[in-house]
Each structure stands twice: as C-alpha cells, then as structure tokens.
C-alpha cells in the first residue's frame, strides 16, 4: 500500500547501516550502476555505437557515473566522462571506480570549459552544435550532484546544468539518483535543475522526487533496488512514504451479507443559503463511493434545495419550518441521528455565521458523535473557536486546502505552499487527528505514521465542489473501514484518508479521457468514483 521515502539524510543512513552489516560500499555502487544501465537500455535501446557523455560530480553520485561509464564502454558505446574536480582528488570507492574505469579504457576530461575549450579537439563531437555541427552526444548522463545536495548550485554547476538542458532537443538526458540541482526533500530547483527525460533513483525514491513539482525535472522516474538489506529498512524506518496502487487491496470488499447499515451509514452536516450544492455533492459522493445509507442534516428551509430531487439522498430537517440558520440549539434535534451513523462529514457549505461556528464547536464537543470528516467552513469555525480543537479525536480527519490551512495556522497561503511539510507539521500540533493538506501532492499526517505523500496532480479535480466530493468519499470509507477493519492497520481513519485521496485522484485521472481539456463538473467527479474503484480492483494504472 505504501512505498518508503527516506529523506536524503535517511538514505545516507541506510547506506551506512548496510555497510556496517558488512555489505561493501564498492558493491553498492556497482549495483547502482548496473541498475542504471538496465534502465538506460530500456529507455534508449542498444548502447553499441552510441555516443554517451557523462558528467561526474565529486560525491558518490559521481562514482555511479564513473561505474556506469565502464559498463557503457564495455557495451560498445563511445564514452566520455567530464569530471568537475581533478581526478586525483577522488577518494574512497568513487576513486576506486574512477581508476578501474580508466584502466578499462574509459576516457576522462575536465568539465570546466566544456564545450568551448573542446573546439577542434578529438572531443568536439561531444559538444553541442555551436561548437561542432557534426557533433553532439546521443545520450547525456547527469551524475553531477546526488540527493545529498543542499543550498544553491555553484557557478560551474549552474553552467553545466544550463548546457545539459540545451542539449535536450537532440540528446536523451538521463539523471542518476536525482536531477542535479533538485532538492531531494522539496522537489524544487535550487535555483535551476537538470530537466531529464528519465531518472533512476536507487533503493527508494526520496520525497522530493515524487512530488508533482519535480516531474518536469525527473521525467520518467524509475526506482531500482541496489541491495540494501530489509533489516536496515525495518530498523531505520523512513519518515516519509507514498501511496501506491496496491492500496486498492485495502478497500473493503462488499460481502453478500452486507445491508445498508454495514455498507456505511454516513451523515453529512452542512448547507447554508446559497451553498446548498456542497452538501448535495458530498452526499452524492458518499453514495458513489459505496455508502449504504446517506443523510444530510441541515436547517429545515434548506433541505428541499439540498435534496435537489435526488431520491437517494435523505434529509434530516432541523428547526422550525422555513428555518435557514444554524445555531447550537439545533444540536439536540441532531443527537438521535448521530447515534445511527458510522461517520459524519461536517462543513460542506455550512457557512461562516458566528452562530454556525458555535454550532460546529458544540457538535465536535458532543461525546456521542461519530468519527468526523471536518472540512470547508467547519475548519473556519475551528479557527474562530480554537478551544474546540481539544475535542478532536485521533479518528477524525481534517481536510484543509492551503487557504484553510493558512487560516488555522495564522499565516498566508503562499507561506503554506512554500513549505508544505512544515505546514503539515504545524497542523498536526493543533490536534492529534488525521490531517490531509490538499493540493497537488496531497500530504497526509497523523501520529504514529510517516508523512504520507499522494503523488498525484490531476487538473480535472481543480473545480469548485471537488473538496465536497472528497469529504463524502472519506465519510463512506471511514464508516466502512471502522466497521470492517483491515488486518494490520492500527488506524482505520488514516487508512480511509489514504484510500479516499487515492480514489478521488483516480477519478480525476479517468475524467481526463472524457474531458482532456477539463470542463468537467464536481458531479462528474462523484459519478466517476465507482468506475475508478473498479479499475483499481483490476490493477489498471498507477
């Protein structure tokens, strides 16, 4: 269901721990280069006769490049390695692989001054068209900087990155471990990065590599093992992980004996004047996600508009006839319904009136309430009444987008987006619940679990009401996973959160087929949920 994402520092720790166990570092580098060779061959075909230009930095990433150069040379490629530091300065296993490659006949030359200084030399065919029209490599291998890179690129590296990117129209650009200049933690260039056609990363991806903003730099991302023992991964767990398509196996499977109660009884609490579509969308999504009994609780005067002639959605009218306002007094009428449902979604379209915020606070503090998805204006209510945060439980799921997260954290959306990991950490300090920080590369965090990345960016989900659909979807999955827990999962709400985000994204991806230039509605997202779940069960797609 999840793939580990060690931070750059944790990946270095895995390497050290494997070496301490007795696995030679020389062998780890050899394994990495062999995996890189297999990926490169799969991407570009046979190496024989191809002109390959490799850039070798000063660290272990440079050692991977030197080792790969030997394999390419042995396979019949014409190889040149450009090194960023004097060859005599390479030490340790990198130095060993450099010396081995040279003894095997691999050509090395300084990277400084490339390509201008290579004019009218035997190496001008490895330059770009500005130096030699008959030249240019077929493949460029980027081994300048690895995942341990931090800070900003130095002048030599900046120049090389720019030159490599300029070759992208005529050569295949292939990065080892990570495109040089890209942060392994944030997935952002510092300040620029190699734009590879493909990247091979070793043993496990790093958080920055799977975030959507990294995609223009990584190209096709390949994750390849290099022999880190399983005991190392167990004893040194990663602080991050990503959702994989294997999570489809955790979805509760409908049994012949299910009835509408065991399939999930979900209560949507929301709606206000002008915002009656939000709870309707949440209810429709709860139904399409597989829920068995869907109800919307709202002030009496809003219920007809919320129902919108949909016989599948039941309404629980609160207050006197014609009432369109929330107040804490309505809670007493709601209590009998709370005891009948497995989960509730609180907030879609509920509005921001002071009395509404007071109602939200009272409902969250109610001891008999079920697990809650807290979304939309209910999050605004928590910001108005921070004392209500103490009533949140570990089984609750909160779903702020960057603007709502900024309100809760008393900051700006721009600062939330500038460091989403820090923003998630700040939200987690507010309450011990499951937090979903929505957006491209949604983050999920809760106590006892690694920070979880949903590596999706689906433009078809960027439409008003999409968040309401997610809330309803989450409500169903929370009710189902609580009633039918998955073996080995300590937190059904955390699992439901991951499944809901994944299913929502899959629906967005499938909508691209019918709406390749967007134009779909939030209702279309809800209607796509059953198909998304069927295709997941069939193992179609990532």
């Amino acid at each position: 269901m999840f793939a580990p994402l060690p931070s750059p520092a944790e990946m270095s720790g895995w390497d050290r721990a494997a070496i301490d166990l007795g696995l030679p570092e020389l062998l780890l580098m050899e394994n990495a280069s062999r995996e890189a060779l297999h990926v490169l061959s799969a991407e570009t075909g046979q190496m024989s006769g191809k002109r390959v230009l490799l850039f070798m930095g000063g660290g272990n990433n440079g050692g991977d490049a030197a080792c790969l150069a030997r394999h390419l040379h042995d396979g019949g490629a014409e190889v040149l390695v450009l090194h960023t530091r004097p060859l005599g300065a390479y030490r340790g296993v990198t130095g060993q692989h450099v010396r081995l490659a040279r003894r095997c006949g691999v050509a090395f030359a300084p990277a400084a001054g490339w390509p201008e200084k290579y004019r009218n030399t035997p190496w001008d065919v490895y330059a770009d068209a500005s130096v030699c029209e008959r030249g240019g490599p077929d493949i460029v291998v980027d081994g300048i900087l690895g995942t341990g890179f931090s800070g900003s690129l130095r002048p030599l590296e900046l120049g090389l990155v720019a030159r490599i990117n300029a070759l992208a129209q005529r050569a295949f650009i292939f990065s080892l471990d990570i495109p040089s200049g890209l942060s392994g933690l944030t997935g952002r260039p510092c300040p620029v990065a190699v734009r590879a056609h493909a990247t091979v990363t070793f043993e496990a991806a790093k958080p920055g590599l799977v975030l959507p903003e990294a995609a223009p730099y990584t190209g096709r991302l390949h994750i390849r093992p290099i022999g880190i023992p399983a005991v190392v991964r167990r004893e040194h767990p990663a602080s991050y992980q990503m959702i994989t398509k294997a999570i489809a196996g955790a979805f509760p499977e409908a049994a012949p004996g299910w009835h509408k109660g065991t399939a999930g009884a979900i209560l949507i609490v929301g709606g206000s004047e002008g915002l009656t579509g939000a709870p309707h969308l949440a209810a429709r999504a709860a139904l399409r996600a597989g829920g068995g009994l869907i109800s919307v609780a709202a002030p009496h005067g809003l219920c007809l508009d919320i129902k919108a002639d949909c016989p599948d959605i039941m309404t629980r009218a609160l207050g006197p006839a014609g009432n369109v306002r929330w107040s804490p007094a309505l809670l007493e009428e709601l209590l009998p319904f709370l005891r009948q449902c497995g989960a509730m979604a609180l907030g879609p379209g509920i509005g921001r009136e002071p009395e509404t915020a007071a109602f939200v606070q009272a409902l969250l503090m109610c001891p008999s309430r079920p697990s809650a998805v807290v979304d939309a204006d209910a999050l605004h209510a928590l910001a108005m009444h921070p004392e209500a945060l103490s009533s949140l439980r570990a089984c609750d799921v909160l779903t702020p987008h960057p603007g709502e997260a900024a309100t809760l954290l008393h900051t700006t959306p721009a600062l939330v987006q500038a460091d989403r990991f820090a923003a998630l950490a700040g939200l987690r300090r507010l309450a011990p619940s499951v937090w979903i920080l929505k957006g491209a590369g949604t983050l999920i965090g809760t106590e006892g679990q690694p920070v979880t990345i949903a590596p999706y960016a689906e433009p078809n989900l960027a439409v008003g009401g999409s968040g309401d659909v997610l809330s309803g979807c989450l409500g169903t999955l929370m009710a189902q996973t609580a009633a039918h827990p998955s073996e080995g999962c300590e937190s059904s709400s955390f699992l439901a959160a991951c499944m809901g985000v994944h299913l929502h994204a899959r629906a967005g991806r499938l909508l691209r087929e019918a709406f390749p230039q967007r134009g779909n509605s939030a209702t279309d997202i809800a209607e796509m949920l059953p198909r998304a779940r069927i295709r997941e069960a069939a193992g179609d797609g990532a």
Side-chain angles (χ1 to χ4, degrees):
M1 293 189 291
F2 304 101
L5 299 173
S7 69
E10 289 170 340
M11 188 66 238
S12 295
W14 282 12
D15 288 339
R16 289 193 300 272
I19 294 165
D20 290 343
L21 281 176
L23 197 61
E25 187 177 5
L26 195 73
L27 179 60
L28 290 175
M29 192 170 287
E30 179 75 15
N31 289 349
S33 67
R34 294 293 297 180
E35 291 298 327
L37 177 66
H38 295 155
V39 170
L40 184 57
S41 297
E43 285 277 0
T44 63
Q46 291 293 324
M47 292 294 110
S48 180
K50 288 183 177 174
R51 189 177 294 141
V52 184
L53 179 63
L54 299 98
F55 289 86
M56 183 179 72
N60 282 355
N61 195 241
D64 295 335
C67 195
L68 175 60
R70 171 169 53 86
H71 296 310
L72 292 169
H73 174 78
D74 289 348
E78 299 177 29
V79 175
L80 174 64
V81 180
L82 297 181
H83 47 91
T84 62
R85 58 191 301 186
L87 286 181
Y90 287 94
R91 300 285 188 266
V93 294
T94 296
Q96 292 182 59
H97 275 298
V98 168
R99 292 188 290 274
L100 176 57
R102 294 183 73 191
R103 288 195 295 268
C104 291
V106 175
F108 287 76
W114 175 84
E116 291 83 358
K117 289 185 178 180
Y118 287 80
R119 189 185 302 273
N120 299 320
T121 73
W123 307 123
D124 65 357
V125 293
Y126 288 92
D128 56 24
S130 66
V131 173
C132 177
E133 291 185 3
R134 66 187 177 86
D138 300 305
I139 298 169
V140 176
V141 176
D142 160 36
I144 302 172
L145 297 166
T147 54
F149 162 71
S150 61
S152 296
L153 292 174
R154 294 172 295 183
L156 173 60
E157 296 158 348
L158 276 169
L160 293 177
V161 167
R163 290 289 195 174
I164 290 171
N165 287 338
L167 289 170
Q169 294 300 315
R170 59 184 301 171
F172 185 85
I173 312 299
F174 184 57
S175 286
L176 301 177
D177 213 14
I178 191 170
S180 293
L182 197 70
S183 167
L185 189 60
T186 69
R188 293 175 178 166
C190 304
V192 296
V194 168
R195 291 179 175 266
H197 294 107
T199 298
V200 59
T201 195
F202 304 121
E203 195 60 38
K206 290 73 189 173
L209 286 171
V210 303
L211 290 169
E213 52 260 53
Y217 303 95
T218 63
R220 290 176 293 278
L221 180 64
H222 301 265
I223 306 168
R224 291 293 184 267
I226 60 171
I228 300 293
V231 65
V232 169
R233 297 162 69 114
R234 285 196 305 271
E235 293 182 357
H236 304 272
S239 298
Y240 305 84
Q241 64 183 11
M242 77 171 168
I243 300 171
T244 71
K245 65 181 180 181
I247 201 169
F251 280 84
E253 187 173 349
W258 275 21
H259 53 75
K260 61 187 178 183
T262 56
I266 300 95
L267 180 67
I268 314 295
V269 182
S272 60
E273 287 188 290
L275 295 173
T276 53
H280 176 93
L281 284 169
R284 184 182 290 271
L287 179 66
R288 293 304 188 207
L293 196 61
I294 317 299
S295 304
V296 179
H300 191 288
L302 302 175
C303 286
L304 279 178
D305 287 342
I306 290 172
K307 192 174 182 67
D309 294 325
C310 180
D312 305 294
I313 299 173
M314 296 184 293
T315 56
R316 307 293 188 181
L318 304 176
N323 172 50
V324 295
R325 294 187 176 276
W326 293 94
S327 72
L330 298 180
L331 182 58
E332 185 173 350
E333 293 182 53
L334 190 59
L335 288 177
F337 303 127
L338 293 178
R339 301 187 185 99
Q340 299 171 15
C341 59
M344 70 175 180
L346 171 62
I350 204 167
R352 297 186 177 183
E353 296 293 327
E355 282 291 280
T356 302
F359 167 82
V360 170
Q361 178 187 19
L363 176 55
L364 288 175
M365 296 178 69
C366 178
S368 61
R369 69 167 176 86
S371 300
V373 182
V374 184
D375 185 33
D377 287 335
L379 296 168
H380 180 79
L382 286 175
M384 291 179 62
H385 296 279
E387 63 274 16
L389 288 164
S390 62
S391 65
L392 293 172
R393 307 167 186 169
C395 58
D396 294 328
V397 177
L398 292 89
T399 62
H401 58 52
E404 292 158 347
T407 299
L408 288 164
L409 295 172
H410 306 289
T411 185
T412 66
L415 288 176
V416 168
Q417 290 295 83
D419 192 341
R420 286 170 57 82
F421 289 127
L424 180 65
L427 292 170
R428 290 178 60 183
R429 287 192 288 270
L430 296 178
S433 305
V434 181
W435 289 88
I436 299 175
L437 179 56
K438 296 187 290 193
T442 290
L443 304 181
I444 304 168
T446 192
E447 187 67 28
Q449 295 288 345
V451 172
T452 302
I453 299 174
Y456 318 121
E458 298 299 336
N460 292 73
L461 296 179
V463 60
S466 178
D468 303 313
V469 171
L470 176 61
S471 291
C473 183
L474 290 169
T476 287
L477 293 169
M478 287 170 66
Q480 289 183 350
T481 54
H484 312 281
S486 177
E487 184 178 351
C489 184
E490 298 178 0
S491 171
S492 61
S493 290
F494 168 74
L495 182 59
C498 294
M499 289 192 297
V501 169
H502 180 73
L503 188 61
H504 189 243
R506 280 289 298 163
R509 180 171 295 184
L510 293 177
L511 282 170
R512 275 195 255 162
E513 299 174 6
F515 302 90
Q517 297 298 321
R518 292 175 29 84
N520 59 282
S521 67
T523 300
D524 293 320
I525 301 172
E527 294 301 309
M528 188 60 73
L529 292 173
R531 282 187 59 199
R533 193 158 170 173
I534 288 172
R535 289 202 177 191
E536 282 295 308
D540 176 60

